[in-house]
């Protein structure tokens, strides 16, 4: 595949040279006409003609080939596999494909042993470093051999068709080269199309996000009723999975949502006062020198990866919070916290992470308040703090609200800090020293486990992801609209 | 500044004739923005219960000088003032003087109407509230009403005091700013081209207002419009390139300017 | 219309004067809150750095013990062929043990023998094996070799395990401490630069665990981000800034890009898992999948930075180019884009630095594999720098805590280096129009 792309690209470079030379020849031929476009545009036109259609064919082929091959192989599989769920079948097909790529590693006796059912495929294949699981049956070898044969055939035709298209289009393009040929316009149109395609990738990404989570979520909701997901108060997915009968587990979102919101709340209680005060200080009070040093330090805080914050939370903040809880809670007749991971630990550290986010956004927004309002207030004899509190902050309020909403969205979606410092127990409790868990923690733990993609234990991660995406999307869009509206007001 | 010597020589004293009550007296005021000097030895007296107009071409320092009078230049980091400005004989740049206190006595109205994004009522009540002049709701109500009346805005807004001040027309906004300034009963009102953003009708109303206010306030107004200076002011000071070129009764300045530059400016040769 | 009387004015100015002290105090308080906020943020940053450095700096050295090893041919090359393949299966463990026991005067059958073995890393014989296989002439000679000490001994030497702790609660026993001290006094035990940290992959033994696989994995991913995100991001920005008309489709694209910049990173991980792994069929746990996920995440950053850069180029440049007969496309690609290149580059570097530290989506697409062999291509199983840090952070052993911090130091060094580069580029090529 990569090789073929390489060949097409090399052909395209050759076409560029050929086109440029041809154009120069035409120009020198002395037909009395100047070239409409510079020679390199003729070359570029030919290069595009050679590469683009061929690459399109290749792309379609790349999608179509596995479908056709797997459709053929699928027919060879025994009925019990045919009747399995679509996801289970895709897992089996994936493993057959892997076997088909490693057929050379098997001796004829080994193949025969599998075929006859004498040995399960796993027992033979796994020791050879071919990663397969116990779902495969005796049909494996036949299916894999068919797979390999069809793939080889398809790849031969792929080579032929792709190169054929490249060469054909090259000649079609070549005949069009004339001095008056508007090569530049064609090339520029092609570039424009490329630019447009690139800018739609953002939309495709969003569509991809939604679609990728939607189908799995629908699958999940076909097994677990949505009401027991969205309103369930118990989270107990029971790893162990599909094999154990009646072990479906409970997937209540509420405890995760509670943990997520509780931690975000603490993070906001830390980040908003500190971030806002810091922004006010930097934009209104700090001398040039203080700003020169403090601003990059705050930016540095923003640039630190969240994994570092997570580590800091468990080694430094966690023990301090735990010790504090051990002192505080008994005063109220409560038990001392048993672990260093807690809502408070995660919330404080997350708040620290969000400080620069709040402060830099607020800084922008405060600076957008026109100087004339400040002058008006100073002119009446207001002090600086009175001006800030009574004129600037009220004027900037919508923008600041927008900034805080963006920060909330960030807190809700933050993963590594909570994975490391919040805990895994899905509890609903008002006690901030208790360890709780969040949506993101559960996405990570459900998707990094060893269960197959078919079980609700894994599928729930997609439902959680979709929920997370929906919540943050709403927050982001509202926040961005508020901020945009605010900026336009003062522009 | 090769010719600074000659200009220094002809530096006008800017003193009010004997007998007139001087509200603000400035002597040898110099101002720098960073390295650049923007005002050169300004001597100017501003008489009480008069309107003094500061005129001159753009960038001549007239607004800068005006902002010295209530220490608004303090809010600009790089601005540095030297010299002596006295309000009722008291040095306003003395250490003991708090600019906040000073600005309660010397109010200011700006070029562009800048009502706060609050209600009309809150705009006027802002000053009395921050200074603690009025504490009860009744007192504040009273101040708001009289200030709006004095700014001849009351009739137009009395039914919509809770609406945002930014929703008014430009001229109304500027009168609101004047009401806001007089709500703290200042002694001096500084006006920095208060009509430059307004249409002729709104301008006329403001000018009427200025003439009414002069009975009770000392007013200094920076203006681009010589006809406005002629209409509203009793004294006029002409600034040029950071120097005070000439000052005197408005009628004298406009009919019989002493300095060539004043003459050129007034006759429209430059500016 | 009459104004305030003089007496009224005096009353007012007295009220104002009375309030001044209170208001100035409020002013000072308010200013202090701001300063405190800044100080808290900076104190937090410094604590963070202090924690990481105090924990991690020691991981850049590793304790080694010198032994005189008699490379007995009977044990490693019984056939005398010196064939490297054969040499690989020699009994190096025995050679090391013999030398160790004789150096420490321990009888192989005494209870102390177990403690003696725990002086050296479990895998120190591999070190010796690689040495001999690399140079078969060594067989039969006596070599003086520095072998990695066991992690616990290493921690004792570094002071993390204290002598004062009672023997039974200490991972390093009294006897071992005596040996270690004796070896150190004799110059046969010392701390040297820990090259394993950069030349080895995953290991269950902290003294042998390194970042090599993670670094190479991250390198591949950064390369993929660079190759895909920059052309696509710049192209999208050029279209949106220079060609796109104001219509609803382009509005949607705008909102989309701004929103994508704020979508939680873990969601991109799910996207990668579903699209790149499950649908397209790229191998899980590989840099290519991780790189593509990071590309999608970095795109909005690059697009936003490029648009800002393009916006900063004054229209006069465009007009000048169009005026001499260039097409719009030519004016952009010959003039506008080169002029905004430094800003684009700065945005790209900052985007890359963000991508380098991203952990959650890589966990989702499985880049946490236990990989010993460095990935030769982006299609091989790998780890990534931040993920390796995460994995190490989940171990309790002191040796891993130290390495976690060391990994973070390496990561932060890259991040700060990249950000500094961006700052330098920005100030060096900053253009004022």
């Amino acid at each position: 595949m990569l090789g073929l792309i390489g060949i097409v690209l090399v052909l395209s470079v050759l076409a560029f040279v050929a086109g440029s030379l041809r154009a120069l020849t035409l120009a020198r031929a002395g037909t009395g006409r100047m070239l409409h476009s510079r020679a390199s545009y003729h070359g570029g036109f030919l290069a595009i003609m050679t590469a683009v259609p061929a690459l399109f064919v290749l792309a379609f082929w790349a999608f179509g080939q596995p479908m056709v091959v797997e459709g053929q192989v699928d027919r060879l599989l025994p009925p019990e596999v045919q009747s399995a769920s679509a996801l289970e079948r895709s897992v089996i097909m994936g493993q057959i494909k892997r076997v088909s790529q490693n057929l050379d590693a098997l001796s004829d006796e080994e193949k025969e042993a599998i075929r006859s059912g004498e040995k399960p495929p796993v027992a033979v294949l796994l020791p050879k470093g071919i990663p397969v699981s116990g779902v495969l049956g005796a049909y494996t070898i036949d299916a894999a051999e068919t797979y390999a044969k069809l793939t080889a055939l398809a790849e031969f035709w792929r080579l032929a068709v792709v190169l054929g298209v490249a060469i054909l289009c090259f000649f079609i393009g070549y005949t069009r080269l004339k001095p008056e040929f508007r090569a530049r316009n064609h090339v520029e149109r092609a570039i424009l199309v490329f630019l447009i395609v690139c800018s739609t990738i953002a939309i495709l990404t969003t569509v991809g996000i939604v679609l990728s989570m939607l189908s799995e979520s629908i699958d999940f909701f076909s097994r677990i009723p949505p009401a027991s997901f969205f309103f369930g108060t118990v989270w107990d997915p029971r790893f162990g999975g599909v094999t154990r009968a009646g072990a479906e587990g409970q997937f209540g979102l509420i405890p995760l949502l509670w943990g997520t919101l509780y931690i975000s709340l603490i993070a906001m209680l830390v980040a908003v006062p500190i971030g806002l005060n810091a922004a006010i200080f930097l934009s209104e009070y700090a001398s040039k020198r203080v700003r020169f040093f403090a601003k990059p330090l705050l930016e540095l805080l923003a640039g630190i990866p969240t994994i570092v914050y997570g580590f800091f939370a468990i080694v430094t903040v966690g023990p301090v919070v735990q010790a504090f809880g051990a002192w505080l809670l008994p005063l109220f007749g409560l038990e001392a916290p048993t672990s260093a991971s807690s809502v408070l630990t995660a919330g404080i550290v997350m708040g620290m992470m969000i400080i620069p986010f709040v402060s830099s956004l607020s800084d922008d927004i405060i600076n957008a308040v026109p100087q004339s309002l400040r002058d008006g207030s100073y002119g009446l004899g207001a002090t600086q703090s009175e001006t800030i509190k009574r004129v600037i902050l009220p004027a900037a309020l919508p923008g600041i609200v927008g900034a805080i909403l963006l920060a909330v969205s960030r807190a809700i979606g933050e993963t590594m800090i909570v994975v490391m410092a919040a805990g895994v127990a899905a509890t609903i409790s008002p006690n901030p020293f208790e360890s709780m868990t969040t949506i993101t923690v559960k996405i990570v733990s459900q998707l990094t486990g060893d269960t197959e993609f078919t079980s609700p234990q894994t599928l729930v991660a997609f439902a959680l992801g979709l929920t997370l995406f929906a919540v943050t999307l709403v927050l982001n869009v509202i926040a961005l609209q508020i901020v945009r509206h605010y900026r336009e007001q003062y522009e | 500044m090769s010719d600074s010597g000659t200009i220094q020589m002809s530096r006008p004293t800017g003193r009010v004739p004997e007998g007139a009550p001087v509200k603000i007296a400035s002597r040898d005021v110099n101002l720098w923005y960073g390295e650049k000097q923007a005002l050169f030895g300004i001597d100017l007296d501003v008489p009480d219960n008069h309107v003094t107009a500061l005129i001159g071409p753009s960038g001549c320092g007239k607004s800068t000088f005006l902002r010295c009078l209530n220490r608004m230049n303090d809010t600009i980091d790089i601005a540095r003032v030297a010299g002596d400005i006295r309000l009722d004989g008291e040095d306003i740049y003395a250490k003991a003087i708090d600019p906040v206190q000073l600005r309660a006595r010397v109010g200011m109205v700006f070029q562009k109407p800048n009502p706060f994004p609050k209600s009309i009522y809150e705009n006027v009540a802002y000053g009395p509230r921050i200074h603690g002049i009025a504490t009860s709701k009744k007192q504040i109500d009273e101040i708001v009403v009289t200030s709006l009346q004095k700014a001849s805005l009351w009739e137009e807004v009395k039914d919509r005091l809770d609406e945002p001040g930014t929703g008014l027309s430009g001229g109304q906004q500027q009168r609101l700013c004047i009401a806001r300034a007089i709500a703290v009963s200042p002694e001096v009102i500084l006006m920095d081209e208060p009509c430059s953003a307004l249409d002729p009708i709104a301008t006329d109303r403001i000018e009427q207002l200025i003439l009414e206010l002069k009975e009770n306030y000392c007013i200094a107004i920076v203006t681009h419009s010589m006809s406005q200076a002629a209409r509203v002011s009793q004294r006029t000071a002409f600034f040029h390139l950071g120097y005070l070129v000439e000052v005197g009764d408005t009628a004298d300045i406009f009919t019989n300017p002493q300095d060539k530059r004043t003459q050129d400016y007034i006759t429209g040769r430059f500016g | 219309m009459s104004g305030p009387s003089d007496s009224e004015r005096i009353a007012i100015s007295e009220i104002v004067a009375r309030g001044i002290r209170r208001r100035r105090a409020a002013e000072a308080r308010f200013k202090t809150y701001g300063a405190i906020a800044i100080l808290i943020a900076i104190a937090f940053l410094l604590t963070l750095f202090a924690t990481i450095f105090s924990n991690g700096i020691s991981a850049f050295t590793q304790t080694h013990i010198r032994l005189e090893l008699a490379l007995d041919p009977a044990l490693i090359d019984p056939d005398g062929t010196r064939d490297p393949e054969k040499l690989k299966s020699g009994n190096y463990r025995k050679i090391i043990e013999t030398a160790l026991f004789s150096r420490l005067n321990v009888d192989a059958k005494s209870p102390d023998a177990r403690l003696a073995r725990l002086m050296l890393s479990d895998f120190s014989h591999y070190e010796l094996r690689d040495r001999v296989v690399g140079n078969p002439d060594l067989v039969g000679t006596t070599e003086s070799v520095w072998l990695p000490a066991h992690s616990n001994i290493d921690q004792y030497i570094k002071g993390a395990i204290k002598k004062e702790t009672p023997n039974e609660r200490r991972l390093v026993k009294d006897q071992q401490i005596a040996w270690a001290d004796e070896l150190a006094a004799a110059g046969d035990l010392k701390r040297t630069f820990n090259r394993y940290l950069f030349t080895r992959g995953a290991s269950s033994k902290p003294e042998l665990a390194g970042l090599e696989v993670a670094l190479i994995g991250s390198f591949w991913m950064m390369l993929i981000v660079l190759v895909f995100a920059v052309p696509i991001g710049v192209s999208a920005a050029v279209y949106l800034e220079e060609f796109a008309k104001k219509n609803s489709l382009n509005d949607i694209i705008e909102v989309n890009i701004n929103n994508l910049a704020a979508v939680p990173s873990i969601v991109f991980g799910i996207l990668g898992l579903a699209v790149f792994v499950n649908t397209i069929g790229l191998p899980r746990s590989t840099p290519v999948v991780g790189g593509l996920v990071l590309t999608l995440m970095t795109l909005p950053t690059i697009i936003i930075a490029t648009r800002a850069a393009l916006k900063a180029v004054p229209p006069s440049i465009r007009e000048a180019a169009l005026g001499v007969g260039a097409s719009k496309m030519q004016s952009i690609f010959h003039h506008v884009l080169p002029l905004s290149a430094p800003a684009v580059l700065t945005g790209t570097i900052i985007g890359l630095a963000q991508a380098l530290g991203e952990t959650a989506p890589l966990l989702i697409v499985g880049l946490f594999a236990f990989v010993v062999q460095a990935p030769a291509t982006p299609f091989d199983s790998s780890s990534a720098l931040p993920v390796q840090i995460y994995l190490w952070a989940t171990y309790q052993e002191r040796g891993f805590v130290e390495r976690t911090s060391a990994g973070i130091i390496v990561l932060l060094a890259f991040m700060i280096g990249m950000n500094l580069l961006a700052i330098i580029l920005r100030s060096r090529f900053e253009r004022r129009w």
Side-chain angles (χ1 to χ4, degrees), chain B residues 97 130 177 225:
Chain B
I97 295 286
I130 56 169
C177 292
S225 149

Side-chain angles (χ1 to χ4, degrees), chain A residues 252-272:
Chain A
L253 176 68
I254 302 293
L256 311 187
L257 202 57
W258 171 260
T260 305
L261 295 180
Y262 200 172
I263 292 172
S264 304
L265 175 74
I266 293 175
M268 286 300 126
L269 289 180
V270 172
V272 172

Side-chain angles (χ1 to χ4, degrees), chain C residues 350-372:
Chain C
I350 289 172
L352 274 184
Q354 270 172 16
L356 180 65
E358 210 38 83
T359 319
L362 301 185
L363 277 180
I364 300 296
V365 295
L367 273 155
F368 52 84
F370 189 93
V371 184
V372 182

Side-chain angles (χ1 to χ4, degrees), chain A residues 125-188:
Chain A
L125 297 171
L126 217 45
K128 300 209 172 266
I130 305 169
V132 293
S133 69
V135 294
L136 290 183
Y139 55 82
T140 305
I141 294 299
D142 287 335
E145 280 178 345
T146 312
Y147 199 111
K149 202 176 74 198
L150 288 175
T151 304
L153 192 67
E155 276 175 6
F156 168 75
W157 279 107
R158 184 176 70 185
L159 181 74
V161 170
V162 168
L163 290 186
V165 168
I167 291 165
L168 184 70
C169 292
F170 170 80
F171 280 110
I172 293 175
Y174 196 80
T175 55
R176 295 187 62 180
L177 297 191
K178 306 245 163 50
E180 66 275 18
F181 178 61
R182 295 173 173 250
R184 199 194 73 224
N185 304 36
H186 285 88
V187 171
E188 289 188 348

